[in-house]
Amino acid sequence: MPCVVVIGAQWGDEGKGKIVDFYTDSADMVVRWGGGPNAGHTLVVGDEKVVVRLLPSGILRENTRCVIGQGMVLDLPVLFGEIEGLEKRGRRGIAERLVVSNRAHLVLPYHVLVDGLREEKQGIGTTKKGIGPAYEDKMRRTGIRTGDLVDFAGVAQKVEAALEQWAPVIERFGEKVPSVDSVLGPLEPFARRLAPMLADTSLLVNQAIVRKEAILMEGAQGTLLDIDHGTYPYVTSSSPVSGGAAVGVGIGPNRIDSVVGIVKAYTTRVGGGPFPTELDDSDGIHLREAGAEFGSVTGRPRRTGWLDLPALRYAARVNGLDGLAVTKLDVLTGLRRLKVCVAYDTPSGRTDDLPIDHLHVPGRVTPVYEELDGWTETLGTVESLDALPAAAQRYVDFLQKGAGVPLYLVSVGPRRKETIVLHHPFAGRTA
Ligand code: IMP
């Protein structure tokens, strides 16, 4: 059975939640490997809409085990709030099906504080959930891990050491440095509830691979937000690219059978940073309104723009994409003409590649567009590509050829049934 990695091919918010939930029908295990409560994966089941931030999107399926890998950063009140929220909606056995790495790092109140204080000056437009500072602590080797909470008395010393590092930063902003007790006190009840969920999740996932279970690795954020491969410094602090899955879970890269890239039929971005195909006209407003493009974590309106094929080819390259899942095609309905960026003009000539190292200099590179016809028909619950309006078929074909990656799926609405499947990465299992 395959081990399938699903990643965002743009700047996040590509609709990964729906696709992961859809594929999870055939998966025994769903594993998250990176990021933290900055993510917001929206699942629509029947008339019910659920947003998960830390829980793997497989959590709604009662036969699926869900794993939080050690590459994630966890805010425990957020995690348990999510679990309780689902339980209140009548979902059973959430905590029993969830396994959390004993090496995942914690997002603590001082991380959230510093993220908020620094953001004004940096202008990255972070989600202010403490993600950057939590990963900074991890890299500086002053982070607190989930497994540390088992010895609750011993962890106080570690928090003290971390606070020593953060104190000058916090004081520079004229804020009071929190005490160790104020950090740890509220955490104690969560630490007790977390203890039975902790495990060496690398061992668990590798054992599942040996048993030939179907494993879905669920990415968060997107390729262009990757700390190494994104539009630095306007990025998150983790590795949303497919390689991040191997590191963030603790499996060999050769255990991954297939990588599926999720790409929205247009582009969005939240927060600051370059976005060459961005629109500030009525087409951009159409995309925002028809696509409900408002951040699921922060509620911020998302920036909207045309599809960028050089960026998609870049994502195909750095992730090793085997297949594409195109989402939100229905949002384009009603636009008379559709533009797609096919190349870039740069000071050294025209290129088919994404000039990622030049994007941050305003005006240095210009997108080259091709125009395609739009369509007016609602896409509804069409089940095959042939049933799409001719212009929509041409658009999807143009996207696939431009990306140079086979099409696995096209989503034409938020519901599970609004999905055209061309190839299932868990082929052989029931879809
Ligand atoms: P941080 O991850 O909160 O540090 O934010 C860094 C950048 O990544 C900001 O531009 C955020 O808007 C963006 N970002 C973080 N998580 C997501 C996500 O799940 N979807 C889209 N953008 C995100």
Side-chain angles (χ1 to χ4, degrees):
M1 265 313 137
C3 177
V4 176
V5 172
V6 169
I7 59 95
Q10 295 158 313
W11 275 288
D13 307 316
E14 297 91 352
K16 290 181 291 292
K18 170 185 165 166
I19 307 305
V20 169
D21 175 66
F22 187 83
Y23 285 157
T24 302
D25 200 15
S26 315
D28 299 304
M29 186 182 264
V30 179
V31 188
R32 283 243 347 235
W33 78 75
N38 48 349
H41 292 175
T42 306
L43 318 173
V44 179
V45 185
D47 292 329
E48 201 186 3
K49 185 171 153 187
V50 176
V51 178
V52 287
R53 291 163 60 186
L54 288 167
L55 291 171
S57 294
I59 202 72
L60 299 184
R61 310 268 189 181
E62 284 175 10
N63 297 321
T64 308
R65 268 169 311 144
C66 288
V67 177
I68 288 180
Q70 98 282 340
M72 286 189 72
V73 287
L74 298 183
D75 187 323
L76 293 187
V78 175
L79 177 68
F80 285 101
E82 251 176 71
I83 294 174
E84 278 158 27
L86 288 179
E87 283 170 350
K88 273 196 198 125
R89 284 164 174 247
R91 302 279 170 177
R92 298 273 153 259
I94 301 282
E96 289 72 23
R97 283 189 289 123
L98 182 67
V99 188
V100 178
S101 168
N102 53 12
R103 278 180 267 151
H105 280 250
L106 295 179
V107 178
L108 293 166
Y110 44 90
H111 297 133
V112 181
L113 175 67
V114 170
D115 198 7
L117 292 172
R118 274 197 319 214
E119 180 44 36
E120 300 276 296
K121 207 164 171 197
Q122 278 182 329
I124 289 175
T126 75
T127 58
K128 299 188 185 171
K129 301 294 176 198
I131 306 302
Y135 278 113
E136 280 172 64
D137 256 342
K138 172 177 175 170
M139 293 309 181
R140 191 167 47 201
R141 293 159 287 189
T142 46
I144 313 296
R145 304 196 292 182
T146 46
D148 293 332
L149 295 177
V150 175
D151 167 22
F152 207 74
V155 86
Q157 249 181 340
K158 293 183 177 165
V159 171
E160 203 174 340
L163 279 172
E164 250 171 53
Q165 299 289 331
W166 289 115
V169 180
I170 296 171
E171 281 161 356
R172 210 180 313 131
F173 284 98
E175 293 286 329
K176 201 165 160 279
V177 180
S179 67
V180 174
D181 286 348
S182 75
V183 171
L184 285 180
L187 223 55
E188 205 166 357
F190 296 121
R192 255 182 278 121
R193 287 166 69 187
L194 183 71
M197 297 179 195
L198 294 180
D200 176 347
T201 47
S202 160
L203 181 63
L204 196 83
V205 175
N206 277 280
Q207 286 169 338
I209 291 172
V210 171
R211 285 196 301 271
K212 301 199 184 310
E213 289 185 22
I215 299 162
L216 190 66
M217 306 275 198
E218 176 184 9
Q221 289 81 45
T223 303
L224 294 167
L225 288 174
D226 185 274
I227 187 80
D228 289 292
H229 303 287
T231 46
Y232 192 89
Y234 297 94
V235 293
T236 189
S237 300
S238 62
S239 302
V241 295
S242 60
V247 180
V249 175
I251 60 169
N254 54 349
R255 297 291 179 264
I256 297 169
D257 296 294
S258 165
V259 182
V260 182
I262 316 294
V263 56
K264 195 141 56 176
Y266 49 96
T267 311
T268 60
R269 167 161 214 179
V270 214
F275 181 179
T277 64
E278 184 169 12
L279 288 164
D280 59 1
D281 59 8
S282 58
D283 289 340
I285 293 169
H286 169 104
L287 295 174
R288 184 171 309 113
E289 288 179 355
E293 296 295 356
F294 296 89
S296 45
V297 172
T298 59
R300 289 180 289 178
R302 294 180 184 141
R303 299 157 67 191
T304 52
W306 298 120
L307 180 68
D308 184 335
L309 286 179
L312 187 52
R313 288 192 284 268
Y314 177 81
R317 164 159 62 92
V318 299
N319 291 292
L321 294 186
D322 293 299
L324 281 181
V326 179
T327 59
K328 292 192 146 183
L329 186 66
D330 53 304
V331 173
L332 298 181
T333 294
L335 290 174
R336 211 172 52 81
R337 304 284 295 159
L338 301 169
K339 284 191 182 180
V340 176
C341 169
V342 293
Y344 276 92
D345 278 334
T346 76
S348 47
R350 188 162 286 190
T351 173
D352 290 341
D353 295 321
L354 181 70
I356 190 154
D357 299 319
H358 300 283
L359 295 184
H360 61 286
V361 186
R364 184 179 288 176
V365 299
T366 333
V368 178
Y369 289 104
E370 271 195 38
E371 276 198 19
L372 284 87
D373 288 335
W375 59 90
T376 52
E377 299 90 330
T378 329
L379 304 187
T381 54
V382 291
E383 278 171 7
S384 69
L385 280 186
D386 301 349
L388 288 173
Q393 286 182 44
R394 276 195 298 277
Y395 188 82
V396 170
D397 191 49
F398 192 79
L399 185 158
Q400 171 178 10
K401 290 203 174 105
V405 178
L407 203 58
Y408 279 8
L409 178 151
V410 179
S411 168
V412 292
R415 291 181 188 78
R416 284 176 181 167
K417 62 182 180 195
E418 293 165 320
T419 312
I420 303 168
V421 181
L422 298 128
H423 172 78
H424 200 298
F426 291 114
R429 307 267 300 195
T430 38

